[in-house]
Amino acid sequence: MNNFKFISLVLLLTSQLGLAQGIEFRTGTWEEIKAMAKKENKLIFFDAYTSWCGPCKWMDKNTFLDKETGDFYNENVIAFKQDMEKGEGPMLLKKFGISQFPTFLFIDENEEVVHKGMGAKEPAVFIEFAKQAIDPALRLEGLKVQYKDGDRNPSFIRRYLFALRDAGEGRQEVLDWYLSYTTDEQLLSAENYELIKKMIGDPYHPKFMFLEKNRSTYERLVGAKEVKEMLYNAYNTFLVMAMYSGDKDRWENAKIRTGESGFEDAGKLITMVSIYYYQRNEQWDDYILSIDDYVNDYNISGGDMAYYANEIARNDNIQRKDQLNLALGWINRSIKMESKYRNNHAKAALLLKMGNTKKALKAAETALSLATDEEKEKSWTAPTVALIKKIKESA
Amino acid sequence: MKITKQILASIVYLSISFVGLAQGIEFREGNWAEVKAMAKTENKLIFFDANTSWCGPCKWLAKNTFTDKVVGDFYNQNFISYELDMEKGEGVALADEFKIKAYPTLLFLDGGGNIVHRTAGAMDAEKFLELGRVALDPKRNLAGMEQRYKNGERSQEFIRKYLARLSEAGKPLKEILDWYFYPLSEDDLLTKDNFEVISKYVNSPDSPQFRFLMKEGEAYGQIVTAKEVNDKIYNVYQSHLFGAMYSNDSLKWEIAKAEVKSSSMENSDKLLAYVDTYYFSRKKDWKTYVDAVNHYITNYELDNWESLNRYGWQIYKNTDITDQVSLKLALSWVDHSIQLKNCYANNDTRAALLYKMGDKKRAIKAANQAIAAATADEDTSGTKELIAQMSK
C-alpha cells in the first residue's frame, strides 16, 4: 500500500516534469490569447498547422518538446497553436494570409506580424528564430524598416534576404540589385557562397556558373565536401523539376546543361533522373536501358539494384525475357555484394515472372531465412510468404 | 432651283462636319468592357484619357492637343481612344482600379485591361505624339521596362530611363533610388547624368545626395549651369518649407526655417521672406501678412513690376484688409510698379486700391490713366465699370 502511494507520487512528479519540458502552448480563443499577450507584455508565437502536415507533426514530436526551446519560448512569448482547418483556424488563416504549413508567426498586440518563418526547424535554429523575433532590430519588420530607410549595406542586405526567404516572401528584386553591385572579388566569400547556394541554386543563373567556374576557391572557403553536396543537390533539383515540368525541351536542355557542367556526378544524376523520366512517360525500353546503365556505370548500392529489380518484377508492362534477364543480372550482382532478405525476395519475384518456379521457390526460401528480426516483426516479409504461396499454387 | 440650293447647302454642311470629325482624335463611345472588346478585335492598344469636369489641364489638352490633325491621324490609326469623367458613372470604379489620383491621367492599356504605359498632365501635340510612340514601343514603354527590370536588368543607363518611366507614371522611386545611389562614388555622382537624377527625383533636404549637391554646388555648376544648381536647391528648400507649413506643426515649421537659415543656400533670406507671406496669410494674421509682403517685395522684388502689381491687387481683393495703413503700403508698391512700367494692369490696380481707400477722385483719375495705357487687345471693361460705379 505504501509502495503503491510512493509509485503514484513518482509518476505524478514525472508527468508534471514531463509537462514542463518543451513549449507550453496556451489554450483559449484568439481574443483570449491577445489579452494574455497584452497582460504579460509579450509577443504571441503562433504555430499555424494542419492535421495532415508532416513537418508540423515533426515539430510536435521534436523541437516543441526540446527543453531549451521550451525554456526560451515559455519565458519570452505567449505560445499558441491552431489547426488552420478547425475552429478559429480559417479566420486566422485569412487574417494573416497563411498559405503554407507550418507557418510560424510572431504577432504584436496590434495584430501586426513582426516576424515570420515556415517549415520544420531544429531546436537551435528555432531558438535563434525567436531571438530574432524579440529583437526589434533583427526581426523581419525591423529589417523592412531599415531597408525602407535606405540601408543598402551588403551585410545588412544579406540578412534581409535570408529573413525574406525564411518568411517565404518575394526577394528577387532585392537579390538582383545586390548581385548587380557585388563584384566578382566580393562574390568569392563564404557569405556569398551561402547566398548563391540558398538564393540561386539555378544552373542557368550567371552567378551559379560563376561559382562553378571558381569552384576551387570556394572549396578552400567552405570545404570540398560542402561544394560537392551543393552541386549535387542543385543539379538533382534542376533535373527533377525539368522532368516533372512535362516540357520535353526543358528536359532535354536540362540534361545538356548538366552534361556540359563538368560536375563529376553529372552522368550519374542524368541517368538516375532519366529512369524516372522514362517511367513517368511509360517508355519501358528506355527505362530498362537507363537502369542498366545506372547499375553498370555508376557505383550504386546493392539495395538500389534490388529496388530496381523489384520494380521490374512488379511492372506488368515489362514481360520481355531479355529485359527480365537484365534485371536478373542486377539482382545477382546485388546478392554477390551482400546476400540479404530484400535482394533474394526481388530475385524470387523475377524468377517467378520468368516462369522458373523452382529457382523462384529456392530464392524465396533463402530470402525468408535471411530476414532480420526487425523485418519479420514489422511483417515486411509478408510479400515473400504470399509469393511462396503463389509459387506453390502455380506449380 | 430653291430645292437644289438647299440640297447643295446640306451637302456642304455634311462634308464640313465630316472634315470636322476627321480632325483630331476620335474618341469611341461605349462602356469599358466594350472598349476593351474593340481593342481586342482591332488588335490595338487603348488610349484612355481619364479626366474630370473641373480639371483645367484636361480641358486644355482636349481643346488644343487632341484636336491637332497629326495627333488625330496618329492616334486614330494606332489606338482605340477613349475618354471618361472619372467622377461619374463607370469612371468612379475605374479610377479606383487604376489608382488614379491626378488629372488628366493618360493611360495606354491592352485589350485585357493591363496598363502598358502611363503618364499624367497636359502636353502639346509634339510631346503627345512622342508619348504615343513610346507607348507603342515594347522596349520603351512602362510595361516593357518593368519586364526588363524584373528580368534583372540593372545597368545605370537602364535604371535612369526606368526611373523616368516610373516617375511619369507616378510610381514610388525611393527604393530604386537608394539602390542606384548606393554603389556610386563621389566622382560617379559628379556627372551630368547624375545631376539630372538628383535634380529630377531627390526632393528631401536630409538625403545624402542633396547634401552632396549642396557641398559640391560649385563643381556641379561647372557640369551644368550655376542657375540649374541654384534653382534645384531653392526648389527643394521651398517645398520643404511649404511641407512644414502645411503640416500645421509649429515645431516642424520652426525647425525647417532654422535649417534653411543655417544652410549655405544663396537666396535663403529671400526664400524665408517669401514663405513667411504664405505663413501669415494662412494664419489670417493680416497685419503681419502685410508687413511680411512689404518686407519681401521691398527687399527682393523692387525691380519686378509684375510682382509689385500682383501683391497690390491681392491686398485690394482681400476683404479682410481694409485699414488705411495697409492700403497705403500696397499703393506704394503699385506706384513703384508704375514707375518701372506704366501700363494698364498696374494703373488699374492703383485705381482699385484708391477706390478701396475711399479716394474716389484720385481713383477715377487713375482708372482713366489705366484705360489710356491699355493696349488694343486688353479688356478694359472692368475698369470702365468701376468708373461708372464711382461716377454715380
Side-chain angles (χ1 to χ4, degrees):
Chain A
M1 191 65 184
N2 272 343
N3 263 354
F4 179 73
K5 267 187 181 166
F6 179 71
I7 287 170
S8 36
L9 191 67
V10 170
L11 272 176
L12 205 74
L13 280 172
T14 355
S15 71
Q16 267 182 358
L17 282 174
L19 274 175
Q21 176 100 354
I23 298 180
E24 288 169 44
F25 286 96
R26 312 285 180 107
T27 49
T29 64
W30 179 241
E31 286 303 319
E32 286 163 355
I33 296 293
K34 278 198 296 182
M36 288 177 208
K38 200 163 192 179
K39 199 174 153 209
E40 298 180 36
N41 194 23
K42 287 176 183 171
L43 288 177
I44 299 167
F45 163 70
F46 177 27
D47 167 28
Y49 71 97
T50 66
S51 59
W52 43 262
C53 135
C56 301
K57 283 183 194 134
W58 189 92
M59 289 299 284
D60 281 339
K61 283 182 200 148
N62 297 280
T63 305
F64 290 165
L65 298 180
D66 177 70
K67 185 176 176 322
E68 269 182 68
T69 304
D71 291 347
F72 193 85
Y73 276 70
N74 295 339
E75 189 183 333
N76 292 292
V77 295
I78 305 292
F80 176 62
K81 68 197 316 242
Q82 173 69 44
D83 184 332
M84 299 315 281
E85 294 172 336
K86 283 186 189 131
E88 287 187 309
M91 178 273 286
L92 293 168
L93 184 95
K94 207 176 151 200
K95 185 190 274 273
F96 296 113
I98 296 163
S99 57
Q100 283 182 50
F101 309 105
T103 288
F104 305 119
L105 302 175
F106 291 89
I107 299 162
D108 72 10
E109 57 178 22
N110 303 318
E111 294 198 330
E112 296 290 334
V113 174
V114 298
H115 200 54
K116 187 178 178 185
M118 40 197 44
K121 294 175 200 292
E122 299 275 356
V125 178
F126 202 62
I127 291 171
E128 198 49 45
F129 175 55
K131 280 184 182 164
Q132 288 168 355
I134 58 180
D135 185 339
L138 291 181
R139 61 197 186 201
L140 184 61
E141 185 206 36
L143 300 180
K144 279 184 177 169
V145 169
Q146 202 173 338
Y147 177 76
K148 223 173 159 186
D149 285 347
D151 194 338
R152 295 294 185 270
N153 246 299
S155 63
F156 165 71
I157 292 297
R158 280 194 298 270
R159 189 186 308 145
Y160 183 48
L161 280 167
F162 278 106
L164 289 173
R165 177 179 176 269
D166 287 347
E169 296 193 10
R171 57 191 177 277
Q172 190 63 43
E173 184 179 352
V174 177
L175 181 63
D176 284 341
W177 272 114
Y178 176 82
L179 294 173
S180 80
Y181 76 57
T182 306
T183 64
D184 286 357
E185 209 177 311
Q186 289 166 339
L187 218 47
L188 288 167
S189 69
E191 289 91 351
N192 282 325
Y193 168 82
E194 201 64 14
L195 189 113
I196 296 171
K197 173 183 171 176
K198 299 220 168 114
M199 302 280 166
I200 298 174
D202 168 13
Y204 287 131
H205 196 288
K207 303 301 176 191
F208 186 91
M209 297 185 199
F210 176 86
L211 187 147
E212 288 181 303
K213 212 176 107 198
N214 295 280
R215 184 169 171 181
S216 56
T217 310
Y218 283 114
E219 285 178 345
R220 279 197 294 281
L221 289 166
V222 299
K225 188 169 168 269
E226 162 60 36
V227 178
K228 187 180 170 177
E229 254 177 44
M230 191 282 280
L231 291 171
Y232 189 93
N233 290 332
Y235 278 112
N236 190 20
T237 309
F238 178 57
L239 288 165
V240 169
M241 299 294 282
M243 173 190 76
Y244 280 127
S245 75
D247 177 343
K248 195 162 183 297
D249 287 343
R250 182 173 161 188
W251 164 244
E252 292 300 331
N253 287 329
K255 281 198 293 184
I256 292 168
R257 170 71 185 87
T258 308
E260 288 173 348
S261 69
F263 176 52
E264 59 270 32
D265 285 341
K268 182 178 177 181
L269 278 166
I270 293 170
T271 314
M272 184 178 86
V273 184
S274 293
I275 295 170
Y276 289 101
Y277 178 85
Y278 293 129
Q279 184 177 30
R280 227 174 107 78
N281 291 296
E282 306 195 352
Q283 290 172 249
W284 303 116
D285 293 351
D286 292 324
Y287 171 65
I288 289 176
L289 286 176
S290 33
I291 299 175
D292 199 45
D293 283 347
Y294 192 50
V295 170
N296 291 324
D297 298 350
Y298 304 103
N299 194 19
I300 74 164
S301 71
D304 282 350
M305 293 178 194
Y307 165 78
Y308 289 117
N310 202 34
E311 286 287 295
I312 303 288
R314 19 176 261 155
N315 188 331
D316 291 339
N317 295 300
I318 298 167
Q319 299 293 348
R320 263 166 53 192
K321 195 101 185 215
D322 59 325
Q323 290 177 333
L324 297 176
N325 253 325
L326 272 181
L328 194 62
W330 312 333
I331 208 66
N332 284 334
R333 267 176 70 178
S334 171
I335 291 171
K336 215 169 176 184
M337 288 162 76
E338 192 184 359
S339 187
K340 287 160 87 168
Y341 161 72
R342 268 193 70 197
N343 47 20
N344 280 289
H345 169 81
K347 185 176 179 176
L350 258 178
L351 285 166
L352 178 64
K353 192 168 182 178
M354 293 166 86
N356 195 336
T357 48
K358 213 172 133 192
K359 277 192 178 171
L361 188 61
K362 203 179 148 200
E365 278 162 354
T366 311
L368 280 184
S369 74
L370 290 171
T372 62
D373 289 344
E374 195 199 356
E375 280 165 341
K376 281 181 203 157
E377 236 166 66
K378 293 190 174 168
S379 304
W380 289 355
T381 52
T384 319
V385 177
L387 194 72
I388 290 173
K389 200 178 159 212
K390 205 171 154 195
I391 294 168
K392 286 185 172 158
E393 277 166 10
S394 68
Chain B
M1 190 62 194
K2 213 176 175 184
I3 290 168
T4 327
K5 255 189 182 168
Q6 266 179 359
I7 290 173
L8 198 71
S10 51
I11 287 174
V12 170
Y13 177 76
L14 209 72
S15 49
I16 289 171
S17 71
F18 186 73
V19 169
L21 273 175
Q23 174 96 1
I25 297 181
E26 288 168 42
F27 288 95
R28 308 290 180 107
E29 300 289 329
N31 64 33
W32 184 232
E34 287 162 354
V35 170
K36 284 193 286 186
M38 288 177 212
K40 274 188 186 152
T41 314
E42 298 180 37
N43 195 25
K44 284 179 183 170
L45 290 178
I46 299 163
F47 162 62
F48 183 177
D49 165 36
N51 57 52
T52 70
S53 58
W54 46 263
C55 142
C58 302
K59 287 189 186 118
W60 189 93
L61 195 60
K63 198 177 152 198
N64 297 285
T65 307
F66 293 165
T67 50
D68 182 88
K69 182 169 182 330
V70 185
V71 164
D73 291 347
F74 185 78
Y75 274 70
N76 294 338
Q77 187 184 343
N78 291 294
F79 302 105
I80 305 290
S81 294
Y82 189 56
E83 61 94 19
L84 203 59
D85 182 335
M86 303 311 278
E87 293 175 336
K88 284 188 192 127
E90 211 181 2
V92 178
L94 289 172
D96 188 46
E97 182 182 342
F98 298 126
K99 298 188 173 58
I100 293 172
K101 295 193 183 82
Y103 296 102
T105 285
L106 309 175
L107 297 169
F108 295 86
L109 311 102
D110 65 21
N114 305 300
I115 294 175
V116 168
H117 199 65
R118 172 176 194 149
T119 191
M123 61 192 84
D124 62 21
E126 199 185 325
K127 289 212 172 95
F128 189 64
L129 277 168
E130 178 58 14
L131 176 70
R133 283 187 213 108
V134 172
L136 285 172
D137 183 350
K139 275 206 200 103
R140 292 194 293 158
N141 64 26
L142 178 65
M145 289 242 170
E146 279 174 334
Q147 190 56 50
R148 283 167 70 183
Y149 180 75
K150 219 173 156 192
N151 291 345
E153 197 165 334
R154 291 293 187 276
S155 76
Q156 288 180 15
E157 200 194 342
F158 168 74
I159 292 300
R160 283 195 293 269
K161 285 183 187 154
Y162 185 46
L163 283 166
R165 285 286 167 273
L166 292 174
S167 167
E168 275 176 353
K171 299 205 171 187
L173 308 176
K174 185 178 183 300
E175 181 179 356
I176 294 177
L177 275 176
D178 285 337
W179 279 113
Y180 177 81
F181 284 125
Y182 181 77
L184 298 186
S185 68
E186 298 204 339
D187 281 350
D188 292 335
L189 279 175
L190 280 169
T191 63
K192 192 170 191 297
D193 283 337
N194 284 330
F195 173 78
E196 264 168 35
V197 175
I198 294 172
S199 175
K200 280 185 188 154
Y201 314 123
V202 174
N203 295 309
S204 158
D206 300 328
S207 71
Q209 291 76 35
F210 183 74
R211 273 184 260 131
F212 183 73
L213 178 70
M214 290 291 290
K215 190 173 79 131
E216 299 293 341
E218 232 166 274
Y220 274 119
Q222 308 278 320
I223 296 165
V224 290
T225 64
K227 185 178 183 304
E228 279 176 87
V229 177
N230 290 335
D231 283 355
K232 172 62 188 174
I233 293 170
Y234 193 90
N235 289 336
V236 167
Y237 277 127
Q238 180 173 312
S239 48
H240 182 56
L241 285 166
F242 275 108
M245 185 198 306
Y246 290 128
S247 75
N248 292 328
D249 178 338
S250 58
L251 184 65
K252 224 177 182 177
W253 165 243
E254 291 302 330
I255 291 173
K257 280 207 299 183
E259 277 171 356
V260 174
K261 206 169 278 174
S262 65
S263 78
S264 57
M265 184 177 73
E266 258 181 23
N267 304 318
S268 58
D269 289 340
K270 179 183 176 184
L271 175 60
L272 286 166
Y274 175 68
V275 183
D276 259 350
T277 66
Y278 281 87
Y279 180 76
F280 293 113
S281 152
R282 227 170 106 74
K283 281 185 76 174
K284 299 195 189 305
D285 178 353
W286 301 115
K287 177 85 191 61
T288 323
Y289 166 71
V290 174
D291 286 345
V293 173
N294 191 50
H295 172 73
Y296 173 64
I297 57 178
T298 51
N299 280 291
Y300 306 106
E301 300 283 1
L302 267 190
D303 55 353
N304 186 340
W305 74 267
E306 282 176 299
S307 184
L308 290 162
N309 177 50
R310 190 167 57 246
Y311 282 108
W313 185 253
Q314 275 174 20
I315 301 289
Y316 163 67
K317 293 290 279 183
N318 191 323
T319 52
D320 292 324
I321 300 173
T322 52
D323 67 292
Q324 289 291 325
V325 179
S326 298
L327 295 173
K328 263 184 192 159
L329 215 46
L331 190 66
S332 73
W333 310 333
V334 178
D335 283 343
H336 189 73
S337 172
I338 294 168
Q339 270 177 31
L340 291 171
K341 187 181 165 141
N342 183 25
C343 61
Y344 167 67
N346 47 21
N347 280 293
D348 180 52
T349 308
R350 185 163 187 271
L353 275 170
L354 285 165
Y355 168 65
K356 192 171 179 182
M357 290 164 81
D359 192 341
K360 268 191 196 175
K361 210 176 136 194
R362 287 170 72 202
I364 292 173
K365 205 177 152 198
N368 283 318
Q369 275 167 357
I371 293 166
T375 56
D377 58 344
E378 275 173 322
D379 177 13
T380 57
S381 57
T383 318
K384 282 172 186 154
E385 259 171 52
L386 186 71
I387 295 173
Q389 205 178 331
M390 288 188 292
S391 306
K392 268 182 205 167

